Structures are given as C-alpha cells and as structure tokens.
Amino acid sequence: MSAANDKEIGFIGLGRMGTPMAGRLIDAGYGLTVCDIDEKAVAALVARGAKKAASPKALAASVGTIFLSLPMPDVVVTVGLGAEGIAHGAKARIVVDLSTTGPRAEETLARGLKEKGIEVIDCPVSGGVAGASKGTLALMASGRRDCYDEVNPALACLGKLIYVGDKPGMAQTMKLINNMISVTALAITSETMVLGAKAGLDADTMIEVINAGSGRNSASVDKIPKFVLPRTFDFGFALGLSAKDIKLCLDECDAQGVPMIVGSAVRQLLTAAKAQFGAEADLTSMIKVVEGWAGVEVTGKAAGKKAG
Ligand code: NAD
C-alpha cells in the first residue's frame, strides 16, 4: 500500500513552518495525525480536523508516512531514534525530514531508521513562513528515488520540488549552502544600509536603487523593505535557528577542508545579535547590532505609518 495514495500523513513539529505546511496538507485533502510538545499548536491543528498522537512512537504506530519540521539536529535524532521515537512504531515506512538538520545528523537518522526498515527522504525547505503558507517553498530532496516518487504528490502541495541526489544528507548540504548565501546577503545589506543612513541617504530610496541595480538580493527585495524599514522585525525566522544553520555550514567546511572566510564573519555578527537580543528574536534584528555601533537607525516611510 502506498501511504501517499491512502492520503494519511503524520506531522511532527507544528511551529512557525510546520503549522502552515500541515494546514496546506489538510486543505489538499490529506488526513493528518500530529504531534508536538506544544499543546496549543496541537490543539490548533486538531480544531482543523487532525488527529493527535501522544508521542512520535504512537504516531509511527498508526501512520506510514511521517513529515518532520523540528528545530535542532538533536531533536530530530531523538524524535527519530529515541525511546519514544519513530523507530519503535510498527507502521512507519517513510520519514520526510523538512527541518534544517545538517548532513551529519541526517545520516545518523537515516542509518538508525533503515535498521527498522524505514527510509528517510531528506527534504529541507527554503522560503520562510510566507512560502510555507502560500505553498511557494523551494524543497530540495535527497534519498531513495522510489520513496521520493511516492511522497512527491504531498510535497508538491508545499512548493517547488528539486531532487538533488540519492542519499539522505545531500539535500541538507544544499540547504546549508543556500542559507549561508541568504544570511550573508542580509548581513552585508544591513551593514551597507546603516552606512547609507549615517551618510544621510533615505532608506526607501536606497532600497529602490539597490533593487534596480546590481546589488539586488533576497534581503534588499524582501527582508529589509518588509521587516526592517517598517521596524516590525517579524520575518518569522529565529536568530537561534539561523545561527544553527551557519554553524552547521561552517562545521561542514571544516569537515571538507574548505575555507569560508566571509561566512565566518557573518557568524560573528549573528553571535553578537543573539547575545544582544536572544535566540528567539527575529533574524532581521541583526541590523540593530550595526545600528547600535553606528548610532543611527534605518527607518522607512512605512514605520511612520505603522506607528501613527
Ligand atoms: P519553530 O521553533 O517555530 O518550531 C519547531 C516546533 O517543533 C515547535 O512547535 C516545537 O514545539 C516543536 N518541537 C520541539 N521539540 C519537539 C519534540 N521533541 N517533539 C515534538 N515537537 C517538538 O521552528 P520553525 O521556524 O518552524 O523551523 C522548523 C525547521 O525549519 C527548523 O529546522 C528551521 O531551521 C527550518 N526552517 C525554518 C524557516 C523559517 O523561516 N522559520 C525557513 C526554512 C527552514
């Protein structure tokens, strides 16, 4: 029996990303069984028709295909292989890990689950909370091709799928590369916007020029105009999770013997932001560190409107 055909899916991790992704699966007609340590997050999905499982093990005893959207690599490994983990549920066949877990932990998860006859499709996502809500995420997947084909229809509800290789861990490496580029763009755009503001340039005009020119990037198009200039800092990705991504990327550089000088500097800026604002603060708060050093704020016209 194909779990994709019977339209029953288990979903563990109902946070900023997991809740909208689970919601899209419900909207597409999938029957969901959900699990999270946050009872409120579970209740919100149960109110939309999902069933609740008491633990990953209980969930894996009732569903064949299980999606994960969990914060940290150690959590993913525990949810998979721990005493109350998926490995001990008799029905589980395919685990799709949508989290950013890093290649090493993903390989550990895949090895441990394979011993129980469970295959892992490594499938981290890019595109933020907005992409998760609209179904416009970029999903990069690696793992056994036949298992990938089986879960493809459900994953297609979440965004654009790209198959990157046949081993779990490969998609994680791809994801770390993407996120390093994205956070580096935010870091340098933040620093240069602070320079412009201090020199007397208007913030909205700077963004207009950058986006019409060769400096255009994902921060200048999206994060800075939508979440920094209005001073809302609510992009929806926690500094602590971004710091994890950057650490995992630099760990991989060490393991592969590849220098990453610019990436190491970006890590320092993230560490400063995390120390100042806490791991739960929004990633876009990073600019406030540079603003503090320079004694100037990067504020757009939209900030005035929101305040007024
Ligand atoms: P989040 O912290 O909002 O959500 C994580 C969820 O996992 C929470 O609901 C938490 O209660 C639950 N959880 C933690 N430990 C658990 C356990 N042992 N058992 C069951 N549930 C548990 O994180 P998020 O922003 O939704 O990110 C999820 C993953 O997606 C992360 O790996 C992140 O790096 C990645 N990601 C996030 C974004 C983004 O913009 N937020 C974008 C792309 C990828």
Side-chain angles (χ1 to χ4, degrees), residues 153-240:
L155 289 174
C157 302
L158 308 179
K160 183 178 163 59
L161 258 171
I162 303 168
Y163 185 70
V164 301
D166 61 358
K167 289 182 191 60
M170 295 172 84
Q172 289 295 330
T173 303
M174 186 64 245
K175 168 69 177 162
L176 298 183
I177 291 167
N178 177 79
N179 280 28
M180 179 58 93
I181 295 170
S182 161
V183 179
T184 301
L186 178 62
I188 196 65
T189 310
S190 298
E191 288 181 334
T192 47
M193 290 293 294
V194 170
L195 166 66
K198 185 123 193 200
L201 286 165
D202 174 72
D204 293 294
T205 308
M206 277 195 275
I207 286 296
E208 197 182 339
V209 173
I210 294 165
N211 287 340
S214 56
R216 186 175 63 249
N217 63 71
S218 60
S220 70
V221 168
D222 191 40
K223 297 183 191 78
I224 303 269
K226 291 189 189 152
F227 310 104
V228 173
L229 298 195
R231 308 302 289 178
T232 52
F233 301 103
D234 55 355
F235 168 56
F237 189 36
L239 271 171

Side-chain angles (χ1 to χ4, degrees), residues 7-67:
K7 291 205 120 188
E8 287 296 324
I9 287 178
F11 207 112
I12 307 178
L14 306 166
R16 295 176 185 90
M17 295 295 284
T19 290
M21 288 193 279
R24 289 195 64 82
L25 292 169
I26 291 177
D27 291 345
Y30 286 90
L32 247 59
T33 304
V34 297
C35 174
D36 194 298
I37 50 173
D38 177 351
E39 284 301 328
K40 265 203 217 145
V42 172
L45 265 299
V46 168
R48 295 186 58 185
K51 286 178 233 148
K52 169 186 167 175
S55 66
K57 177 178 167 183
L59 186 144
S62 67
V63 205
T65 302
I66 300 170
F67 286 16

